[in-house]
Amino acid sequence: MSETALPLAAPLAPERRIFEQMLYAGSPFGTLVTTLLVFLTLIGSFALALLIDRNPPFVQTHHGLTLNGGIWPAFTLAVLISVALGMQRYVRNRDLADNAALRAVMPDCAQRQWMYDTAGLRRLRIVTVVGALFGAVPSLLIVPRELIATEPASFIWFVVVNAFTSALFARGIVHSARAAETWARSIDQGLIIDLLRIESLNVIGRHGARSALIWFSVAGAILLFFVGNNMNTLTLLILLLAAAMGIWIFVRPMERVHRRIREAKHAELELIRSAIQEACAKAPHDAQAAAKLQGLLAYEHRIESVREWPFDQTTAVRVAAYVFIPAIPWFGQAFAQRLIDTVRP
């Protein structure tokens, strides 16, 4: 659920218009504390729903006491929402710190990336409504009426939170799609490539890696449903979509910048080799041309060795680690199950 860099010149206007940032902009606390408060609010409201329904948190089975069937899905949804909102804010703050470096290589992107016009905000409102309906309607249609009658408060909690979660997911896809549009336009039209300072483009790799981190973190939170044996086909599809968005949001701009770097290298090498050819013709009887030839050959080697991707090894390793985030809950569940099997008499 991606919320990327805002221009430093006008950081407040978009925050007042975009819910995900407005929540943190209005909070007197920092990112971590606000995210924890969101999580505690969600968990507390579910606990209140259990209390209203007089539904105990533990139930007795033939294996002993076990959690109420709704507690783990509620916990997972609370983690999912908190992770999505918290990671968006964290990424935005880190992107703001890199804003000057980004503007140095892609000034057009810094000017236009999150300037939401009327049409863009209208599209965001539409997908919010559609996403909320997509999250709420299945519960209204599938949950048995007798269960609604016995646990009305818990049912309302799940309907509201499912709708909110689905709306956030839909908004995240729209945010990412809009970011992809503006990045593609800015890379094609305004990217500044200095082949002798190619490391200046590392900011693009860092930016893309942080945006991908949001989606991989969301995928990891979704996989918590697996730990509680609540994974179904729809949840699995959403998990795969989140992971695919994480990969796409990093790879797509990197590939675009890669092509621009290759084009710049090719054009520069053509000029150098033309100059080398001219110097070669004069070198046998011109000492100055011979000296120039040595410099041209060294420069050619320098340009040929310029890397063609806008990120360094640290960013590459970081993104590779992000890919494994969704697997953490699965390994945790497998370890816990193995531990239980070991100590069970």
Side-chain angles (χ1 to χ4, degrees):
M1 302 180 180
S2 175
E3 187 82 32
T4 51
L6 293 167
L8 284 173
L12 297 179
E15 285 189 339
R16 294 197 186 106
R17 307 178 76 183
I18 307 302
F19 167 77
E20 292 85 345
Q21 297 305 328
M22 181 178 64
L23 177 68
Y24 286 85
S27 172
F29 308 105
T31 299
L32 178 59
V33 174
T34 302
T35 302
L36 288 174
L37 288 175
V38 170
F39 175 76
L40 292 175
T41 299
L42 291 168
I43 291 296
S45 61
F46 183 72
L48 179 61
L50 289 179
L51 185 64
I52 293 172
D53 292 336
R54 297 181 180 178
N55 204 353
F58 297 94
V59 294
Q60 184 70 40
T61 67
H62 62 279
H63 293 298
L65 283 176
T66 186
L67 280 174
N68 182 299
I71 288 181
W72 188 258
F75 171 80
T76 302
L77 286 171
V79 170
L80 177 57
I81 292 172
S82 303
V83 165
L85 293 176
M87 289 306 301
Q88 284 186 30
R89 186 63 177 187
Y90 165 78
V91 167
R92 177 191 178 277
N93 290 340
R94 294 299 301 272
D95 285 344
L96 282 175
D98 265 347
N99 202 277
L102 179 64
R103 284 186 296 182
V105 298
M106 205 156 53
D108 193 48
C109 180
Q111 293 170 5
R112 296 189 298 183
Q113 189 164 359
W114 288 104
M115 292 297 180
Y116 279 95
D117 54 14
T118 303
L121 289 170
R122 187 185 305 115
R123 181 170 58 176
L124 198 60
R125 285 192 290 268
I126 290 172
V127 299
T128 301
V129 173
V130 172
L133 290 174
F134 183 81
V137 169
S139 299
L140 297 172
L141 297 178
I142 296 173
V143 176
R145 295 291 174 247
E146 55 271 19
L147 182 60
I148 298 176
T150 56
E151 302 178 10
S154 298
F155 172 74
I156 292 173
W157 188 93
F158 275 108
V159 169
V160 172
V161 173
N162 281 337
F164 184 69
T165 304
S166 184
L168 279 181
F169 199 89
R171 288 167 65 88
I173 292 175
V174 170
H175 282 309
S176 297
R178 185 169 179 84
E181 292 173 5
T182 56
W183 274 87
R185 184 167 56 246
S186 297
I187 289 170
D188 291 342
Q189 300 176 4
L191 182 64
I192 300 171
I193 299 175
D194 185 346
L195 294 174
L196 297 179
R197 295 181 179 85
I198 202 66
E199 68 279 356
S200 64
L201 299 181
N202 288 349
V203 63
I204 298 175
R206 295 195 300 270
H207 193 285
R210 287 192 291 262
S211 297
L213 174 61
I214 299 173
W215 285 103
F216 286 125
S217 299
V218 167
I222 293 173
L223 202 58
L224 287 172
F225 283 110
F226 171 83
V227 178
N229 296 319
N230 300 114
M231 184 69 78
N232 54 40
T233 302
L234 179 60
T235 307
L236 179 61
L237 290 175
I238 294 173
L239 166 65
L240 294 175
L241 176 60
M245 287 294 295
I247 295 172
W248 174 77
I249 205 169
F250 176 75
V251 171
R252 186 66 183 116
M254 298 307 108
E255 189 275 334
R256 212 175 192 99
V257 176
H258 169 67
R259 284 193 282 110
R260 288 292 315 277
I261 295 174
R262 290 193 64 180
E263 291 169 0
K265 281 183 65 174
H266 177 75
E268 186 69 8
L269 286 171
E270 284 297 312
L271 292 175
I272 296 170
R273 285 162 184 166
S274 296
I276 289 174
Q277 188 175 17
E278 182 180 344
C280 281
K282 297 179 180 178
H285 40 267
D286 188 338
Q288 188 175 0
K292 180 181 179 182
L293 178 60
Q294 296 303 315
L296 288 170
L297 290 172
Y299 183 51
E300 179 191 33
H301 177 72
R302 171 71 184 276
I303 297 301
E304 284 180 333
S305 64
V306 169
R307 56 181 168 83
E308 299 178 356
W309 293 93
F311 53 83
D312 54 17
Q313 187 175 7
T314 301
T315 301
V317 172
R318 189 173 295 149
V319 172
Y322 294 163
V323 174
F324 289 100
I325 289 176
I328 293 174
W330 186 89
F331 283 111
Q333 192 265 354
F335 174 78
Q337 187 62 50
R338 185 175 181 85
L339 183 63
I340 291 171
D341 292 340
T342 301
V343 301
R344 182 179 293 166

